Amino acid sequence: MKALVLIGGFGTRLRPVTYTVPKQLIPLAGKPMLYHVLDLLPAEVEEVVLATGYKSEQIDAYVRAHPPRWPVRTVSEAEPLGTGGGMKNAGGTMSDPFFLLNSDVIAAVDLGEVARRHARSGGIGTMTLAEVEDTRPYGVAALGEGDRITGFVEKPEPEAAPSHWINAGLSVWRREVLDRIPPGRPVSFEQEIVPKLLDQGLFGYRLSRYWDDAGTPERLLRSQRLLFDDGRGGRGTLPAGSFGKGPVALLKGAQARGASFGGYVTVGAEAVVEAGAHVENSVLMDGAVVEREATVDGCLLGPRARVRAGHRVSHQVLGEGGEA
Ligand code: GDD
Ligand code: MG
């Protein structure tokens, strides 16, 4: 099987960081969001096609410098085509069936098992589903016998949501769904196409462990905690010469001598946490600096962002080179 990964979109909910970096390259528990998604693919996947748009060259460059275990190809859109348009544009060589993955979700799931369940179902697609309290930001499924999806509404008002089971953004489809997407214009797969596929048998696969969409600052940090707790952030031990508690993922050239940590932190490449500073529940991207005696809690610091000595910042997002 092959896999199609959707990586367009502007990441507006993670601005200002996403003005200069695509959200998929933001590191969570020491690894870009995109690579946590790729990690879910079975080893025997033949090829991964990345449907990119916004900041495609950065994704390309990163993937070339850090080759995943599967052959990877990028197909970029000149203008954003939406999820369906991106599938149509990049899906020409997909296998039958194929995996379709959003690039901003984290989960514990055996996608090989999802593919086997799909094959047994005889349906057009199998969509993994996560149970959430607030369904408003998601696509929501109505479930019938045998977890057949009998209704699907993208981002409904709460009173219109048919259940609490939402599209987790990790699915398997027969190739023919690509023929159902009109070419040459933006198309939302979830809004425009999925509801029309239900009569051909779309099945739900309920996730039982954890799932999140890392597309907002709050959910991004929650996702990082889930990944660390699942052991997907390395051992998460404290950096040499620092104290407090882990997990902390330290990337190449990062320094934190004399700093203290409160757990669930990624310190990006060449980033520095100075002596006497304290950081917890945060992501510090490459070259970010937390000066001495500063405190950072619940923050996303963009590349080379700087928190000045003695300052306390909590629940803030600083863009590239930003200061607080
Ligand atoms: N190629 C391409 N082109 N990809 C796109 C485009 C585009 O124009 N727009 C968005 N994407 C990618 C995003 O990068 C992301 O990986 C995925 O498609 C979904 O887009 P989001 O913008 O993150 O959508 P969402 O989070 O509001 O909703 C989607 O994900 C939810 C689960 O997190 C939908 O699939 C919902 O049904 C689902 O519940
Ligand atoms: Mg999303």
Side-chain angles (χ1 to χ4, degrees), residues 13 23 104 213:
R13 294 164 289 187
K23 70 175 165 185
D104 61 349
D213 168 308

Side-chain angles (χ1 to χ4, degrees), residues 169-243:
L170 307 164
S171 50
V172 176
W173 297 95
R174 285 216 306 259
R175 216 192 110 80
E176 66 193 73
V177 296
L178 298 170
D179 303 332
R180 305 286 294 267
I181 304 171
R185 67 166 171 90
V187 179
S188 162
F189 183 62
E190 299 83 350
Q191 243 163 44
E192 202 178 318
I193 310 297
V194 172
K196 293 188 203 147
L197 299 173
L198 301 182
D199 57 354
Q200 290 177 64
L202 174 60
F203 291 88
Y205 181 104
R206 302 184 197 222
L207 299 181
S208 55
R209 284 183 58 208
Y210 66 85
W211 176 87
D212 216 329
D213 168 308
T216 70
E218 188 203 349
R219 299 200 306 241
L220 178 126
L221 295 177
R222 193 167 67 195
S223 297
Q224 171 164 264
R225 293 197 296 274
L226 289 166
L227 291 167
F228 269 126
D229 285 343
D230 193 26
R232 288 173 62 186
R235 283 170 302 134
T237 44
L238 278 173
S242 70
F243 52 97

Side-chain angles (χ1 to χ4, degrees), residues 62-322:
Y62 193 95
V63 168
R64 258 182 279 120
H66 306 85
R69 64 194 296 183
W70 313 266
V72 174
R73 202 155 52 81
T74 308
V75 180
S76 172
E77 294 150 35
E79 294 296 327
L81 290 171
T83 49
M87 290 167 67
K88 184 82 177 177
N89 185 57
T93 60
M94 274 303 111
S95 53
D96 187 20
F98 65 97
F99 290 108
L100 176 69
L101 313 184
N102 289 0
S103 54
D104 61 349
V105 294
I106 62 123
V109 60
D110 177 350
L111 287 179
E113 174 56 25
V114 178
R116 286 188 289 278
R117 179 92 68 88
H118 170 77
R120 284 198 301 272
S121 78
I124 189 136
T126 300
M127 185 183 264
T128 61
L129 303 173
E131 192 175 25
V132 300
E133 193 50 46
D134 180 6
T135 56
R136 282 173 300 179
Y138 304 117
V140 189
L143 291 166
E145 205 168 314
D147 280 347
R148 183 165 177 164
I149 296 178
T150 53
F152 188 81
V153 211
E154 184 65 20
K155 301 190 173 58
E157 290 300 319
E159 54 281 5
S163 78
H164 284 276
W165 288 94
I166 59 115
N167 172 18
L170 307 164
S171 50
V172 176
W173 297 95
R174 285 216 306 259
R175 216 192 110 80
E176 66 193 73
V177 296
L178 298 170
D179 303 332
R180 305 286 294 267
I181 304 171
R185 67 166 171 90
V187 179
S188 162
F189 183 62
E190 299 83 350
Q191 243 163 44
E192 202 178 318
I193 310 297
V194 172
K196 293 188 203 147
L197 299 173
L198 301 182
D199 57 354
Q200 290 177 64
L202 174 60
F203 291 88
Y205 181 104
R206 302 184 197 222
L207 299 181
S208 55
R209 284 183 58 208
Y210 66 85
W211 176 87
D212 216 329
D213 168 308
T216 70
E218 188 203 349
R219 299 200 306 241
L220 178 126
L221 295 177
R222 193 167 67 195
S223 297
Q224 171 164 264
R225 293 197 296 274
L226 289 166
L227 291 167
F228 269 126
D229 285 343
D230 193 26
R232 288 173 62 186
R235 283 170 302 134
T237 44
L238 278 173
S242 70
F243 52 97
K245 69 172 200 259
V248 175
L250 205 68
L251 298 183
K252 206 165 162 239
Q255 292 172 50
R257 283 205 175 274
S260 91
F261 289 97
Y264 302 107
V265 176
T266 295
V267 186
E270 312 294 332
V272 181
V273 185
E274 293 183 357
H278 177 82
V279 181
E280 63 183 71
N281 186 34
S282 293
V283 172
L284 279 47
M285 294 177 66
D286 295 357
V289 179
V290 179
E291 294 183 356
R292 61 192 194 289
E293 311 297 333
T295 301
V296 171
D297 177 14
C299 292
L300 169 60
L301 305 187
R304 288 165 292 287
R306 180 174 287 268
V307 176
R308 294 270 180 71
H311 283 217
R312 293 177 156 268
V313 288
S314 93
H315 303 97
Q316 274 196 44
V317 179
L318 293 186
E320 177 154 7

